[in-house]
Amino acid sequence: MSEPKIAAKQPAAVQLEAGKTYAWCACGLSKGQPFCDGSHKVTDLTPVVFTAEKTETAYLCQCKHSQNKAFCDGTHKSL
């Protein structure tokens, strides 16, 4: 599997905490969208690990096609 599964065609609003590290699901298989639960292990895809710069509500991509991984860039509107 080299193409991610579309988990949803809208972003997930999540509360991020400054300094905390997150693993965003890049494969679309995680049961805990938009975060990784290890389901990617049956694929050749890997999660995107990032540390939040500030405490805020962020909109994370669930279509898995954003060019600004892990954040939504509106790509879902054209899928």
Side-chain angles (χ1 to χ4, degrees), residues 9-79:
K9 288 188 177 179
Q10 72 275 343
V14 296
Q15 186 65 31
L16 301 180
E17 293 179 40
K20 186 174 177 183
T21 301
Y22 298 89
W24 172 77
C25 170
C27 70
L29 300 176
S30 174
K31 302 271 189 276
Q33 291 294 332
F35 299 109
C36 177
D37 69 0
S39 295
H40 66 275
K41 292 177 183 174
V42 298
T43 76
D44 57 349
L45 301 170
T46 56
V48 173
V49 177
F50 68 95
T51 301
E53 294 179 14
K54 57 185 175 179
T55 298
E56 66 179 341
T57 299
Y59 295 88
L60 300 187
C61 174
Q62 293 192 101
C63 77
K64 311 305 174 185
H65 289 82
S66 173
Q67 296 302 304
N68 190 25
K69 298 181 184 349
F71 301 90
C72 178
D73 68 359
T75 299
H76 63 274
K77 295 175 186 174
S78 63
L79 297 176

